[in-house]
Amino acid sequence: MSIKKDAVDIVIVGFGWTGSLMARELAETGLRIVALERGEQRDTYPDFAYPRITDELTYGVRLKLFQDASKETLTVRHTSSDTALPYRRFGSFLPGNGVGGAGVHWNGMLWRPLEADLKMRSTVIEKYGAAFIPADMTVQDYPFTYEEMEPFFDKFEKICGAAGQAGNVRGQTIEGGNPFEAPRQNPYPTKALKPQYSGILFSQAAKELGYHPFPVPAANCSEPWTNPYGVQLGVCNYCGFCERFGCFNYSKGSPQSCILPSLQTFKNVELRTQAHVLRVNTDATGRQATGVTYIDRDGREVEQPASLVVLSAFQLHNVRLLLLSKIGKPYNPATGEGVVGRNYAYQMNGGVSLFFNSDKNFNPFAATGTSGIFIDDFNAENFDHSPYGFVGGATLSATITGGRPIQQMTLPSDAPTWGSGWKRAIKTHYLHSMNIGSSGSVMPYKQCYLDLDPTYKDLHGQPLLRMTFDWQPNELKMTNFMGAKAQEIARLIGPERYEMHFKGMDAHYDVRPYQSTHTTGGAVMGDNPATSVVNKYLQSWDVPNVFVLGACCFPQNLAYNPTGIVCATALFAAHAIRTQYLANPGPLVQA
């Protein structure tokens, strides 16, 4: 049975961070807005109420807040000559599902990009020459400057009540902050979160080596805060249940904590949950979107006409929707032509596990997802790459995000994995271990891309998205370099023993262990339609009344978590829609 709804002004597909921000920013126009979320309705109460939300088996292991791979997944392969197979149980990354999306279950690390991150290609060429970039690497500059985006980084930090220590306020270096950060106009809204013992030890060793430690910027309120939408946020209580869990304390930045209480006062915004969008509909020319078609909670096909369509689903889903809707030319790796699916990238991580005698107690249970100390000395272009032969870099940090009983037991590799020996190992090491982590950038390549799988389909009969991706020599060189720097710090800290967890030069991408949910690319932003899907306002080059938000628009992946840029660019796009597009619908001029 097919149903056609009354036309609306704006339809928003996906209701996580970007969808809720767009709805809130456009709600004040008075236009009729319908948001479609394929998952269930969720709010802080009752869905994240304490103590239910601290059920690690349900949320941490059985992944209650995440996409159900039995209904929709993707296929994965290393190269285009391999056969892609369906990803049956998510491990490497965890797409969110339901209202709030990945904004519910993230840790809360809230970064701004470095200036070199936004101009990576031109910076590398200027410093080292064009030959420094591998022939198969398709690195690009972002189409905007840091100065253009700074007010929107600032606004999102205020929406979250972000905690941190500024390192550069209006060009003045501030002691204790990140000296490499780009200038900010204002300090963080709330003070930095309290450091843990692991961070103190890491900071001391890093300083001794001449590095510059600073507390991680956090979307976890450290003080009472009322955000620009009039929503009051709580103060983080270091409960240790951030990643994979919703926040019961209204203190971790999420749509539920920061946006929904304000958005609910607008009668012109309607949210429909359990609404799975199949495609964006276009007119006979293919140059104008007419709305979307979705499957509702009763299994009926529904057409929702709209004048403006905003795609704000997870990165992978936005790319798939563009391909299914035939918006933009699909990327062809054989010819290099086409743009949709191009420049897929992930994130390269590594770490060191440090084990101490019982004289050092780390109390891992008293933590947040952002209780950490970082150094940026080897990130992006903060150091001279010429002796090392790779593009990009990584952060190093000491973070303890919790001490949960199932997934957060750091044990030596020779410890028993079950029985009484396993219990003795936990007793020995639970309070007396820490980790140093490396979070690294990943560049895009001609051979790493997304397209539609020719064989496998979802429960609605539509092709699954196919990922073709593997680690490349550039990133493996980078992570080996970072491993040596992490080992240097670990030795200076002086544990009883330590174990390295960095990939070797022959490593291949493995979908099984969790690494990060920081998948990027496939609908890249740029200033040239031949190499990008959307312009700097995130407006489709091909269908101007379609805007595409999120990490799918990143030309390459940063070392940082993506949420800061994701949400700042969503606010930037919303501003362009309000101030330019609504008065004169059509292609926005690149300023």
Side-chain angles (χ1 to χ4, degrees):
M1 181 179 177
S2 182
I3 300 172
K4 186 171 183 178
K5 295 280 190 176
D6 292 337
V8 299
D9 297 298
I10 302 168
V11 64
I12 297 173
V13 180
F15 208 65
W17 265 129
T18 58
S20 59
L21 282 170
M22 184 62 75
R24 178 59 182 81
E25 290 292 302
L26 298 184
E28 294 174 358
T29 65
L31 296 173
R32 187 178 174 198
I33 302 169
V34 167
L36 302 173
E37 165 57 48
R38 70 178 186 178
E40 63 186 36
Q41 173 67 273
R42 293 198 182 107
D43 209 343
T44 303
Y45 184 85
D47 302 282
F48 310 149
Y50 184 86
R52 177 172 59 184
I53 193 62
T54 58
D55 178 350
E56 188 182 9
L57 184 62
T58 295
Y59 294 93
V61 179
R62 293 177 178 162
L63 308 178
K64 179 177 173 59
L65 298 180
F66 300 92
Q67 181 178 326
D68 184 348
S70 70
K71 295 180 180 178
E72 183 190 324
T73 183
L74 69 159
T75 65
V76 184
R77 60 182 181 177
H78 285 147
T79 71
S80 58
S81 61
D82 298 332
T83 300
L85 296 174
Y87 199 178
R88 299 294 188 184
R89 177 176 171 82
F90 290 113
S92 173
F93 50 86
L94 300 171
N97 195 51
V99 171
V104 170
H105 65 74
W106 70 316
N107 265 324
M109 293 185 185
L110 184 54
W111 298 95
R112 297 184 179 194
L114 300 165
E115 289 178 285
D117 285 326
L118 300 181
K119 301 297 177 186
M120 182 60 70
R121 181 177 180 82
S122 57
T123 301
V124 170
I125 291 174
E126 179 183 346
K127 294 180 71 172
Y128 313 113
F132 198 79
I133 299 175
D136 59 349
M137 184 185 289
T138 53
V139 60
Q140 294 179 200
D141 289 349
Y142 281 75
F144 48 70
T145 65
Y146 173 82
E147 289 75 17
E148 282 182 285
M149 201 56 58
E150 199 283 335
F152 301 95
F153 291 126
D154 183 77
K155 182 172 182 175
F156 185 62
E157 288 168 356
K158 289 174 178 173
I159 289 170
C160 292
Q165 171 59 58
N168 183 342
V169 177
R170 303 180 187 182
Q172 179 181 354
T173 302
I174 309 297
E175 182 68 27
N178 181 3
F180 300 102
E181 75 173 352
R184 56 175 56 246
Q185 291 301 303
N186 298 297
Y188 284 94
T190 64
K191 64 185 179 183
L193 293 165
K194 296 177 181 178
Q196 297 165 310
Y197 184 38
S198 59
I200 293 171
L201 294 179
F202 177 86
S203 181
Q204 291 170 347
K207 286 181 179 178
E208 191 169 336
L209 291 167
Y211 305 144
H212 304 84
F214 59 93
V216 59
N220 300 69
C221 263
S222 62
E223 304 172 82
W225 178 258
T226 300
N227 76 11
Y229 297 146
V231 179
Q232 185 175 345
L233 304 178
V235 178
C236 180
N237 67 355
Y238 302 82
C239 73
F241 286 82
C242 276
E243 82 273 17
R244 306 192 185 208
F245 302 86
C247 180
F248 64 84
N249 206 47
Y250 295 87
S251 49
K252 182 177 74 172
S254 69
Q256 281 82 355
S257 299
C258 304
I259 302 172
L260 298 190
S262 172
L263 190 57
Q264 288 167 358
T265 64
F266 290 89
K267 304 303 182 185
N268 57 315
V269 179
E270 178 188 357
L271 171 61
R272 300 174 193 162
T273 57
Q274 296 179 324
H276 180 95
V277 176
L278 299 176
R279 61 187 171 272
V280 179
N281 302 320
T282 55
D283 65 9
T285 69
R287 298 280 300 171
Q288 185 77 9
T290 59
V292 302
T293 295
Y294 68 93
I295 303 295
D296 71 6
R297 66 177 66 235
D298 297 316
R300 300 173 300 182
E301 187 171 291
V302 180
E303 181 184 349
Q304 177 57 68
S307 301
L308 177 65
V309 176
V310 178
L311 299 185
S312 54
F314 184 65
Q315 173 265 334
L316 295 170
H317 306 325
N318 274 349
V319 177
R320 182 170 180 248
L321 272 172
L322 289 171
L323 291 167
L324 291 171
S325 307
K326 297 180 171 54
I327 295 175
K329 185 177 181 180
Y331 174 65
N332 184 338
T335 65
E337 296 177 345
V339 288
V340 182
R342 180 177 176 271
N343 279 37
Y344 173 77
Y346 190 41
Q347 202 157 41
M348 173 64 82
N349 296 335
V352 188
S353 299
L354 289 72
F355 302 97
F356 298 83
N357 293 319
S358 58
D359 59 331
K360 284 186 168 58
N361 294 313
F362 292 97
N363 294 337
F365 46 83
T368 79
T370 49
S371 300
I373 301 295
F374 276 66
I375 63 169
D376 237 4
D377 296 74
F378 304 105
N379 189 10
E381 283 300 320
N382 294 342
F383 66 105
D384 183 6
H385 288 64
S386 53
Y388 308 114
F390 63 82
V391 175
T395 63
L396 288 176
S397 66
T399 60
I400 295 177
T401 61
R404 301 192 301 272
I406 301 175
Q407 294 179 312
Q408 292 186 314
M409 298 293 173
T410 300
L411 298 177
S413 58
D414 57 0
T417 56
W418 68 287
S420 58
W422 173 71
K423 294 177 182 179
R424 283 194 297 271
I426 290 174
K427 182 178 180 180
T428 300
H429 297 290
Y430 177 72
L431 293 175
H432 315 300
S433 62
M434 61 171 278
N435 295 285
I436 296 173
S438 168
S439 175
S441 61
V442 171
M443 297 298 115
Y445 297 89
K446 295 177 181 177
Q447 62 272 25
C448 298
Y449 61 97
L450 303 169
D451 65 355
L452 294 178
D453 193 283
T455 304
Y456 294 97
K457 294 177 169 52
D458 67 9
L459 79 167
H460 301 298
Q462 297 200 113
L464 296 182
L465 191 69
R466 178 171 62 180
M467 175 192 295
T468 303
F469 178 77
D470 202 2
W471 302 125
Q472 304 300 316
N474 181 82
E475 281 64 42
L476 294 171
K477 287 180 187 178
M478 181 272 292
T479 199
N480 276 267
F481 171 83
M482 295 307 302
K485 298 299 180 183
Q487 186 175 37
E488 186 180 30
I489 295 173
R491 285 174 173 168
L492 194 56
I493 291 174
E496 181 184 14
R497 61 184 289 195
Y498 65 87
E499 294 183 357
M500 302 291 294
H501 309 289
F502 284 82
K503 297 174 180 66
M505 288 301 297
D506 59 348
H508 293 282
Y509 173 54
D510 188 343
V511 299
R512 294 170 296 177
Y514 182 74
Q515 292 153 74
S516 83
T517 305
H518 308 151
T519 57
T520 65
V524 167
M525 66 176 84
D527 52 19
N528 184 350
T531 56
S532 59
V533 175
V534 296
N535 62 22
K536 73 176 184 180
Y537 303 109
L538 309 187
Q539 179 187 37
S540 167
W541 291 111
D542 295 275
V543 183
N545 65 332
V546 170
F547 285 74
V548 185
L549 313 182
C552 61
C553 302
F554 289 17
Q556 51 272 336
N557 210 342
L558 294 73
Y560 294 145
N561 306 51
T563 308
I565 305 184
V566 163
C567 293
T569 52
L571 291 169
F572 183 67
H575 178 75
I577 291 171
R578 288 184 63 173
T579 61
Q580 298 180 59
Y581 180 86
L582 292 179
N584 187 23
L588 296 174
V589 177
Q590 297 271 86

